[in-house]
Amino acid sequence: MKFDKVELANVAIRTTQYPTDNKPEFLMLGRSNVGKSSFINTLVNRKSLARTSAKPGKTQTLNFYNIDDMCYIVDVPGYGYAAVSNAKQEKFGLMIEEYIMNRPNLKHVFLLIDYRHKPTENDLIMYDFLKYYNLPVTVVCTKYDKIKKSGRDKQNKLIENTIDIAYGDEIVYFSKVTKVGRDKIIEVINSKITE
């Protein structure tokens, strides 16, 4: 992928609004304020494709980004944001579950967690949920640059010991500042497109 063409192709809240051209899709999932929009923007080499916000909970739809007419990156609402009502959180959850259950061209999930902290209970529930549906998952630890080098071994062990990573899944450490991890994510996407 060269990311020559990157555009928001579909905005959906129900299955009838999903793209119909059966391109491979890659789901970007994470709790609110984990840096999902920044991750997507860094990945596709754009400054403001996915809207970043100081206030979590900005994404409230399923956003399908067309990448070079080869695949879609799918951005969904973040989970676990307390200021969003329980009813709205439940609606987001059902919207995401409906997508996961009804999308045979979903090739891979990137589950974003905050590298600075121990994975939350919501992160672990979401990982288990994805594995229940036998989806391949890459756990992306965002904000990798926020921990000093001297503390990274300890933090890596904390994360690796907290998430029971299934065979075939992996953890990638990612920074929008240094771009560490970006090449690995692109490698995963390219391998799935050509499967």
Side-chain angles (χ1 to χ4, degrees):
M1 288 183 301
K2 296 181 179 178
F3 302 107
D4 291 332
K5 177 181 179 180
V6 180
E7 62 184 12
L8 179 59
N10 291 67
V11 175
I13 56 171
R14 59 183 68 91
T15 55
T16 55
Q17 297 169 320
Y18 297 169
T20 57
D21 51 7
N22 292 320
K23 289 184 178 69
E25 292 175 1
F26 299 90
L27 178 61
M28 308 295 169
L29 195 56
R31 67 181 177 81
S32 294
N33 214 26
V34 75
K36 190 154 48 72
S37 296
S38 295
F39 169 73
I40 292 170
N41 289 334
T42 303
L43 189 62
V44 301
N45 267 335
R46 300 294 191 278
K47 286 189 176 175
S48 56
L49 178 73
R51 289 176 299 173
T52 58
S53 172
K55 182 183 177 185
K58 188 83 172 173
T59 303
Q60 301 198 359
T61 53
L62 305 185
N63 297 330
F64 292 80
Y65 295 101
N66 181 349
I67 311 297
D68 291 335
D69 289 326
M70 294 173 66
C71 68
Y72 291 101
I73 285 176
V74 186
D75 185 19
V76 300
Y79 54 82
Y81 180 43
V84 173
S85 70
N86 286 340
K88 190 165 270 192
Q89 284 193 50
E90 188 174 339
K91 179 184 166 190
F92 291 166
L94 290 171
M95 198 162 49
I96 293 165
E97 186 173 14
E98 184 178 45
Y99 169 76
I100 287 170
M101 290 173 64
N102 295 288
R103 212 57 182 159
N105 44 324
L106 172 57
K107 297 296 183 186
H108 200 86
V109 180
F110 294 95
L111 177 61
L112 277 60
I113 67 170
D114 190 327
Y115 181 65
R116 299 171 299 175
H117 309 293
K118 182 178 180 179
T120 67
E121 185 179 353
N122 281 339
D123 293 329
L124 300 177
I125 289 169
M126 185 57 72
Y127 182 71
D128 289 343
F129 172 76
L130 296 169
K131 297 320 295 180
Y132 176 80
Y133 287 104
N134 294 316
L135 291 165
V137 180
T138 298
V139 175
V140 180
C141 299
T142 62
K143 308 181 184 183
Y144 182 67
D145 56 284
K146 301 290 186 185
I147 298 271
K148 291 179 181 175
K149 287 182 181 178
S150 59
R152 287 179 186 167
D153 281 346
K154 180 182 176 183
Q155 195 65 13
N156 293 357
K157 283 175 185 165
L158 174 65
I159 290 166
E160 289 162 14
N161 289 334
T162 304
I163 301 178
D164 186 16
I165 289 287
Y167 177 77
D169 289 351
E170 63 184 324
I171 296 173
V172 173
Y173 300 102
F174 182 88
S175 166
K176 71 171 185 177
V177 176
T178 65
K179 308 271 195 303
V180 67
R182 180 179 181 267
D183 288 347
K184 181 59 185 173
I185 302 296
I186 292 170
E187 182 184 311
V188 171
I189 292 174
N190 279 329
S191 71
K192 298 288 179 176
I193 289 173
T194 56
E195 270 185 354

